[in-house]
Amino acid sequence: MTTSPTPLASAIPDAETMTNAAKLQIMDSKGAKVTFGSLFENQKTIVVFINEAPTIDFFPTMYVEQLATIPQEILDKAGTRIAVVGCGDWQPIQSYAEMTTFSGPIYADPSRSLYRTLGMKIEKLEGTPSGLKRKSYVTVSPLKNALQSIWKGPLKHPSLIGKQGNISQLGGELIIGPGLTCSFASHMRHTEDHAEIVELLEKAGVKYS
């Protein structure tokens, strides 16, 4: 089985794209607008774009739960932080942070303008294609995922129904900063295609064993 990325999956944004993306606004957990560029202006930042907002899909939850287990001290030692961006409304952010125990900043891009500008234009609902190995963070079956997604999403947080954004929007990961330099980019090709965390940290110069 192969897990090699396609050229599209590893495309790094050029300088013009990064300049344009840095000017775009996203929303924090309070609904306040911040520029994307402020996330990495003074510090190297791993930016994780999850595929949809944190209200329905369980796979992004499992991925961010793994991000939450990374010791803060190794990030501090490498001068690096992690930020998460979703494509729905900002209201679910606090509940998502509590559910995943992720303590880093989480933002919302409901217009998906940032996703599109950075080249994350794929929309699909399919999981890992036949013949490809599933990523290590995907630890449950599709059926169990569906049941857990319903419980953790609509049933547990009914007030957040309709705020999840486009459920077919795929995300990815970028390592940016300080400044507008992007040293790594990975675009998801299907719903279970976030970058392996060990490899992502290695690309960011974070020692993690």
Side-chain angles (χ1 to χ4, degrees):
M1 291 185 179
T2 179
T3 56
S4 300
T6 63
L8 172 64
S10 57
I12 293 179
D14 59 23
E16 181 180 2
T17 298
M18 286 304 306
T19 297
N20 292 335
K23 298 174 183 177
L24 295 177
Q25 292 185 324
I26 52 181
M27 305 175 79
D28 66 14
S29 61
K30 304 294 185 182
K33 294 181 179 180
V34 301
T35 60
F36 179 58
S38 67
L39 275 61
F40 44 82
E41 182 177 6
N42 300 310
Q43 184 177 17
K44 180 169 57 178
T45 302
I46 300 171
V47 186
V48 176
F49 289 83
I50 57 176
N51 49 313
E52 74 175 80
T55 54
I56 291 182
D57 196 349
F58 189 60
F59 290 136
T61 302
M62 288 193 293
Y63 190 72
V64 178
E65 283 175 340
Q66 286 196 17
L67 292 176
T69 67
I70 300 171
Q72 185 61 45
E73 55 266 27
I74 70 170
L75 293 171
D76 293 341
K77 187 174 182 179
T80 302
R81 70 170 185 160
I82 301 173
V84 171
V85 179
C87 67
D89 292 334
W90 63 269
Q91 290 89 340
I93 291 177
Q94 188 57 45
S95 296
Y96 188 66
E98 295 171 358
M99 179 171 58
T100 59
T101 71
F102 181 73
S103 60
I106 303 177
Y107 302 93
D109 176 30
S111 71
R112 294 189 291 157
S113 57
L114 183 56
Y115 280 73
R116 296 190 185 98
T117 298
L118 291 172
M120 288 172 278
K121 300 177 181 179
I122 299 177
E123 296 182 23
K124 62 190 305 184
L125 296 172
E126 292 79 12
T128 304
S130 175
L132 289 181
K133 183 179 179 180
R134 298 176 89 190
K135 298 297 181 71
S136 63
Y137 72 91
V138 183
T139 57
V140 301
S141 67
L143 176 59
K144 187 174 183 180
N145 166 57
L147 295 174
Q148 290 177 316
S149 296
I150 292 171
W151 166 246
K152 289 197 172 188
L155 291 183
K156 194 169 185 179
H157 303 285
S159 65
L160 301 180
I161 294 176
K163 300 183 183 299
Q164 73 273 10
N166 188 319
I167 64 173
S168 63
Q169 173 68 58
L170 299 187
E173 301 76 34
L174 292 89
I175 300 173
I176 316 172
L180 296 177
T181 300
C182 179
S183 58
F184 173 82
S186 177
H187 296 171
M188 298 176 72
R189 297 155 293 172
H190 54 78
T191 60
E192 301 171 3
D193 197 29
H194 279 293
E196 293 285 4
I197 289 176
V198 172
E199 296 175 6
L200 186 61
L201 292 176
E202 181 181 354
K203 294 291 185 181
V206 179
K207 294 184 177 180
Y208 181 61
S209 57

